[in-house]
Amino acid sequence: MASSSSSYNSPCAACKFLRRKCMPGCIFAPYFPPEEPQKFANVHKIFGASNVTKLLNELLPHQREDAVNSLAYEAEARVRDPVYGCVGAISFLQRQVQRLQKELDSANADLIRYACNEITTATVLPPPVSLPTGLNSVIQQNMAPRRRSVDHHPHHQFYQQINNTSTTGGAFSAPYLPWNDIHNRSGDINEGGGGGGGDGRM
């Protein structure tokens, strides 16, 4: 109603472009207001005013607004791209949708692969076993590196006695060693046997 009332005051964009008087009940007035002259100019350039008039007369009143919006969109797209028109825009949007769909599929595949790896890891690794407190301490003591004490070794005591004697300046007394006893006995036997043989010859 507002557009119709405004058409009474000023001609619609279609009548102004066609340089004719805008009559009451003009079929263009509700859809081509005077403040949008470029809209009708594009539609007229692509489709022609007579064809648009025929199309609107064949449609029901509640379908005309959608039809005019579709014609205006197609006409603007043809003006910008005379070869493809709105088909070029539709193709561009379709390619963009396909690219985004591939990225979405790749992301979903990565999520599935990550979830499978988590499940496999949880299945392969056994659950941690908690040992009793006493058994755990025993295991830690057995696994700890043992330091061998050399203070009680006979050789260490022998050399320690030598060092103490040399430090204090006292007389050195060799410890008892079994091979010294064997050597002394063998020497006594040899000496006794040699003296007896000499006496016998004498």
Side-chain angles (χ1 to χ4, degrees), residues 50-129:
S50 59
N51 293 329
V52 176
T53 302
K54 182 179 180 181
L55 177 63
L56 294 178
N57 288 326
E58 293 177 354
L59 296 175
L60 298 176
H62 68 278
Q63 296 176 341
R64 292 174 182 175
E65 184 176 3
D66 294 336
V68 170
N69 291 334
S70 298
L71 293 174
Y73 182 83
E74 174 67 21
E76 184 178 2
R78 285 288 183 91
V79 170
R80 294 182 177 180
D81 188 357
V83 178
Y84 296 103
C86 65
V87 177
I90 294 173
S91 300
F92 172 78
L93 295 176
Q94 287 180 346
R95 290 193 298 269
Q96 189 174 4
V97 169
Q98 293 175 357
R99 180 177 58 83
L100 295 176
Q101 186 64 41
K102 291 181 179 180
E103 293 179 0
L104 181 61
D105 295 340
S106 178
N108 290 331
D110 293 338
L111 290 176
I112 294 174
R113 190 180 304 108
Y114 178 77
C116 293
N117 291 336
E118 289 292 330
I119 295 175
T120 304
T121 304
T123 304
V124 171
L125 294 178
V129 179

Side-chain angles (χ1 to χ4, degrees), residues 9 13-14 56 58 63 124 127-128 152 154 156 166 186 190 195 197 199 201:
N9 299 326
L56 294 178
E58 293 177 354
Q63 296 176 341
V124 171
H152 302 287
H156 181 76
S166 60
S186 61
N190 292 331
D199 296 339
R201 286 191 298 270

